[in-house]
């Protein structure tokens, strides 16, 4: 076997790649995620990537969740046409290959551990800060998936038990304070206005924060403090040594990472919690595909053994 097929499925984009054992991409392609008949679009994408290329030996998939690993089904929140969809079996029938499945943020964490900012870390937490907040844990080189496949769902850890009601139904979830839409929501409620002609989103908010606009700065400080509380709690529970942050909001750079460092310094107490290293992603949008490929390679090696 010279390569595996990696697939990354999200609410806005489908991506696939043939990846060799060193992590190099042989071929890749992307296309928008349709609102309906996603499987047909995915089948066309797989054909585009594999049609006249080297034959892969296994398939790794990272998909937005929640998942049910035992059943091999997915129910992505932002893909309403898939509810309890048997993704693992459908891709197995499509390709005729063994298929291994994990969450998209879990694959991001695994990809960063294999080829990115978390390389060599004994215990890594990967966080995607975007429209929502996802996460994944890699302990001793192995992704921690959990019984149902939803371990590492740090965006819905409670950082304020008396806090705001979250979209998930819980209360005080970090996602309610730190995701891109919620950063902008709080800023708008507190007097921020986007520049004329621009959408009132986290990207515009980050530019204003970088320019020193008071409410925009406060919004990122508030979001960063919630992230810091989640990171400190995760470190206390699992002794993670490295945190890698990706997703669109991470592109804000120092606007996010500087207040996050200050908040962690204030919140963290025990030495092993304070020792956590927080880094931005180096793989960016490629991390999910890298992690999906690593899943497939590890699965193939264990099957051969």
């Amino acid at each position: 076997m010279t390569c595996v097929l990696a697939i990354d499925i999200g609410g806005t984009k489908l991506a696939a790649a043939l990846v060799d054992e060193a992590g190099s991409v042989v071929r890749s392609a992307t296309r928008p995620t349709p609102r309906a008949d996603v499987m047909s679009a995915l089948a066309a994408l797989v054909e585009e990537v594999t049609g006249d290329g080297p034959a892969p030996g296994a398939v790794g998939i990272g998909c937005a969740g929640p998942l049910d690993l035992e059943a091999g089904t997915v129910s992505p929140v932002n893909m309403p046409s898939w509810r309890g969809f048997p993704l693992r079996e459908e891709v197995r029938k499509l390709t005729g290959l063994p298929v291994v499945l994990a969450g998209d943020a879990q694959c991001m964490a695994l990809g960063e551990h294999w080829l990115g900012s978390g390389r060599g870390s004994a215990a890594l937490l990967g966080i995607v800060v975007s429209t929502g907040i996802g996460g994944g844990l890699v302990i001793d080189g192995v992704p921690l998936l959990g019984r149902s496949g939803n371990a590492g769902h740090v965006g819905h850890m409670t950082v304020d038990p008396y806090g705001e009601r979250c979209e998930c139904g819980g209360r005080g979830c970090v996602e309610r304070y730190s995701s891109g839409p919620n950063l902008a929501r709080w800023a708008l409620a507190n007097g921020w206005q986007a520049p004329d002609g621009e959408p009132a989103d986290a990207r515009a908010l980050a530019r204003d924060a970088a320019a020193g606009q008071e409410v925009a700065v406060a919004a990122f400080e508030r979001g960063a403090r919630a992230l810091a509380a989640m990171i400190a709690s995760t470190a206390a529970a699992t002794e993670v040594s490295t945190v890698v942050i990706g997703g669109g909001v991470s592109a804000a750079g120092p606007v996010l990472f500087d207040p996050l460092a200050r908040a962690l310094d204030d919140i963290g107490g025990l030495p092993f919690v304070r020792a956590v290293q927080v880094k931005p992603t180096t793989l960016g949008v490629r991390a999910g595909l890298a992690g999906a490929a690593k899943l497939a390679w590890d699965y193939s090696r264990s099957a051969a053994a």
Side-chain angles (χ1 to χ4, degrees), residues 69-152:
L69 278 191
E70 185 175 356
T73 60
V74 300
S75 302
V77 172
N78 52 1
M79 293 170 60
S81 65
W82 277 7
R83 287 295 174 267
F85 183 77
L87 179 61
R88 188 170 58 204
E89 178 60 17
E90 289 296 317
V91 173
R92 188 198 64 78
K93 289 192 294 186
L94 174 68
T95 62
L97 296 170
V99 179
V100 60
L101 171 67
D104 55 350
Q106 293 166 333
C107 284
M108 172 269 186
L110 186 58
E112 290 287 347
H113 183 272
W114 185 28
L115 301 171
S117 295
R119 189 180 301 193
S121 173
L124 177 140
L125 169 64
I127 307 172
V128 179
V129 185
S130 186
T131 304
I133 294 180
L137 290 158
V138 182
I139 308 298
D140 294 331
V142 179
L144 179 64
L145 303 181
R147 179 188 58 79
S148 66
N150 295 292

Side-chain angles (χ1 to χ4, degrees), residues 130-223:
S130 186
T131 304
I133 294 180
L137 290 158
V138 182
I139 308 298
D140 294 331
V142 179
L144 179 64
L145 303 181
R147 179 188 58 79
S148 66
N150 295 292
H153 217 73
V154 294
H156 295 284
M157 288 176 60
T158 297
V159 294
D160 181 358
Y162 301 101
E164 298 179 8
R165 184 70 68 184
C166 178
E167 290 85 348
C168 75
R171 187 179 291 281
C173 297
V174 65
E175 185 171 297
R176 185 67 181 170
Y177 300 88
S178 308
S179 69
N182 280 307
L183 288 169
R185 176 188 60 82
W186 183 88
L188 287 165
N190 284 272
W192 174 70
Q193 293 181 330
D196 289 343
E198 292 193 36
D201 58 15
R203 184 175 301 178
L205 185 69
R207 284 197 294 269
D208 275 3
Q213 203 279 339
E214 185 177 355
V215 176
V217 169
F220 272 93
E221 288 181 343
R222 178 177 182 267

